[in-house]
């Protein structure tokens, strides 16, 4: 039987009332990592439309993991618990809530998009960025290459953030490993020139993400679905490729990941991406079929019939719209 957009989907013990999901959207409206009234209005308004899932924007597992000085972070109970009224309202509408655990790595410490300059100074709340290697993104500052001890510490902090989020009532935890952020910086050969156990071979480059996934899965309940968002390709010949994503997804499935949220790009500032309707759907379809794991499709999905076609033709299990 062909599934359709408004059929429920069950992952572990969580049933989403439909497959129309709200994509995470950076709002740049938090204060020192703490959300306020803007997020209440923004996220609750989506809940009134009764999607299956609302995914909260990329939120730093540590303050230095935020993309900008206006992004949320999850390092304290106070910051995570600020989402509880939003979660409770969503649940009253039978809408599930998810959150992206993120670290922006070398793409962090920016101002908000509407400010008159890109990089936040120390006085403005900025910080030293980190990455797999000391390779800057485009014209941004050079990051500090993480030590092994720092990698281990961050792995624990991903797990702690996941536990806080689950305790606050989030239904889904997603590890953000796409768009050129820290975990992507490790698995892409373009940004990882390390010579230790976290660099070089494919297995070494994916090690950090696998360790984070293992730690997060350990910290949350067996009944809680775990998603990972990846960039399926860097869109350049010598970068990360779809075949790599399929191999990675097979390993993530073995570690207890329930769904791969398939995006692309973000690690190379001038990658020749030509966005068009459904341009990332073939990646979601290939990973779903080759790795035998549920996927979501995202990117220029704007029409109801288009979204339904993706589901009914088994190209993905849900669609993220924003």
């Amino acid at each position: 039987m062909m599934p359709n957009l408004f059929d429920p989907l069950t992952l572990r013990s969580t049933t989403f009332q439909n497959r129309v999901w709200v994509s995470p959207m950076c709002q740049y409206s938090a204060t020192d990592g703490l959300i306020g009234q803007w997020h209440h209005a923004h996220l609750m308004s989506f809940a009134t439309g009764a999607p299956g899932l609302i995914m909260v924007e990329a939120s730093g597992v540590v303050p230095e993991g935020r993309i900008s000085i206006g992004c949320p972070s999850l390092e304290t109970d106070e910051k995570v618990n600020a989402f509880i009224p939003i979660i409770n309202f969503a649940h009253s509408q039978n809408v599930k809530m998810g959150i992206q655990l993120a670290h922006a790595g070398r793409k962090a410490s920016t101002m908000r998009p509407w400010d008159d300059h890109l990089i936040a100074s120390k006085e403005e709340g900025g910080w030293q960025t980190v990455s797999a290697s000391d390779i800057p993104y485009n014209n941004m500052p050079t990051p500090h290459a993480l030590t092994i001890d720092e990698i281990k510490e961050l792995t624990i902090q991903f797990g702690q953030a996941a536990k806080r989020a689950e305790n606050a009532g989030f239904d889904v935890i997603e590890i953000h490993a796409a768009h050129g952020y820290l975990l992507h910086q490790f698995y892409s050969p373009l940004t990882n020139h390390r010579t230790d156990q976290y660099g070089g071979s494919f297995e070494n480059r994916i090690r950090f993400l696998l360790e984070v996934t293992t730690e997060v899965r350990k910290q949350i309940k067996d009944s809680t679905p775990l998603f990972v968002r990846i960039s399926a390709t860097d869109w350049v010949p010598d970068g990360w490729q779809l075949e790599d994503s399929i191999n990675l997804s097979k390993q993530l499935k073995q570690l207890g990941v329930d769904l791969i949220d398939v995006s692309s790009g973000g690690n190379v500032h001038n990658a020749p991406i030509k966005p068009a309707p459904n341009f990332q759907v073939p990646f979601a379809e290939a990973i779903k079929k080759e790795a035998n794991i549920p996927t979501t499709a995202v990117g220029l999905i704007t029409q109801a019939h288009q979204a339904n076609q993706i589901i009914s033709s088994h190209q993905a299990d849900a669609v993220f719209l924003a």
Side-chain angles (χ1 to χ4, degrees), residues 91-142:
H91 287 169
S92 76
Q93 306 303 306
N94 198 26
V95 176
K96 305 302 183 194
M97 291 292 298
I99 191 162
Q100 282 191 324
L101 308 182
H103 195 303
R106 66 179 189 159
K107 294 176 85 173
S109 191
T110 71
M111 297 296 288
R112 302 168 188 88
W114 50 83
D115 290 323
D116 64 2
H117 59 288
L118 176 63
I119 303 301
S121 69
K122 200 168 181 182
E123 294 69 36
E124 291 166 320
W127 57 90
Q128 167 68 53
T129 57
V130 300
S131 187
S133 300
D134 57 353
I135 304 166
Y137 179 78
N138 198 12
N139 296 317
M140 292 176 74
T142 300

Side-chain angles (χ1 to χ4, degrees), residues 3 150 182 202 263 266:
E150 288 167 338
L182 183 63
F202 171 82
S263 190

Side-chain angles (χ1 to χ4, degrees), residues 31-90:
T31 304
D32 293 327
L34 180 66
I35 64 161
Q37 285 187 312
W38 175 271
H39 284 85
H40 285 236
H42 174 71
L43 294 166
M44 286 182 181
S45 68
F46 287 112
T48 64
L53 171 69
I54 298 169
M55 185 67 73
V56 172
E57 67 194 271
S59 301
V61 296
V62 291
E64 301 77 27
R66 295 173 295 156
I67 301 164
S68 79
I69 59 170
C71 292
S73 59
L74 307 171
E75 77 282 1
T76 66
D77 287 342
E78 179 201 13
K79 289 178 180 177
V80 179
N81 292 347
F83 287 99
I84 290 175
I86 302 169
I87 295 167
N88 289 343
F89 178 73

